Amino acid sequence: MDIKLGKNDKRYIEGTDDVYNIMKNVLLRDNKIDQEKEHFWIVGMNLAGYILYIELIALGSYKSVDVEPMNVFRVAVMKNASRVIAVHNHPSGRLSPSVTDKDITDRLIQVGRILNIEFVDHLIISPLSYTSFRSIGLMDELEKSLKYVPTYQVVEQIRKEEKQIAKEKLDLEKNKTKAEKERREKLELATVTALITKDVSIEDIAKIMDITPKAVEILLNRKSL
């Protein structure tokens, strides 16, 4: 689920405090019941640190949340993010990383390397404070880990999924372009029709719309079909 930023939220990430302040506000916007569940978000950025998106990847129970690495990176590939930050909340308020938190971070680092997307940091947040894996040295430790280094077969599967995501992205862009073209043509046709009913000449319509008289005639022929 895509998370919309508030008009007063920063769009650039300069440090972990920026991430926390944005995500704390996101968490507090939820109703009381959802605030008591674990959320797992991904903040996607470009190389300059500009936020491209914030996505809620998973919503769990009051003490855990399941995260699939390719779901984390799917949106990053679709939206051309080169860097990502993971954020999840602990409803208990306890900010120490669990073994599960470390494991998912380890796996995300490895998948990010395969996809050439930098996994920058992982924050655990509560309404009052946060812990940054990078700030406490845990990211440095996990980046050296060999626990989840994938086999050749796993790497190939991840690359295969990346190609599929890229294809979906291309199809989406084609559909978007087609839809925009159809909307533009409908608007042009409506404009020509309205001007013709007011007895405006084809030459004058062409000047008004900044198109050729031939293009106006094509639109009129399409209208009569």
Side-chain angles (χ1 to χ4, degrees), residues 72-120:
V72 168
F73 288 101
R74 170 176 286 275
V75 184
V77 172
M78 293 285 283
K79 299 198 177 182
N80 295 323
S82 55
R83 309 168 74 208
V84 297
I85 295 175
V87 182
H88 85 277
N89 66 309
H90 278 179
S92 67
R94 186 171 174 271
L95 300 177
S96 300
S98 67
V99 172
T100 301
D101 295 337
K102 295 175 185 178
D103 280 349
I104 188 58
T105 304
D106 196 340
R107 291 170 63 202
L108 291 173
I109 289 170
Q110 296 299 333
V111 174
R113 284 172 175 166
I114 295 168
L115 298 175
N116 198 29
I117 297 172
E118 183 185 1
F119 190 76
V120 178

Side-chain angles (χ1 to χ4, degrees), residues 13 15-24 43 85-87 123:
I13 299 298
T16 52
D17 283 349
D18 292 335
V19 181
Y20 172 64
N21 288 331
I22 291 169
M23 297 313 300
K24 178 182 67 173
V43 181
I85 295 175
V87 182
L123 271 63

Side-chain angles (χ1 to χ4, degrees), residues 185 188-189 217-225:
E185 289 176 347
E188 288 176 343
L189 182 55
E217 291 175 359
I218 291 172
L219 285 167
L220 288 172
N221 289 334
R222 187 176 300 153
K223 175 179 178 292
S224 63
L225 292 176

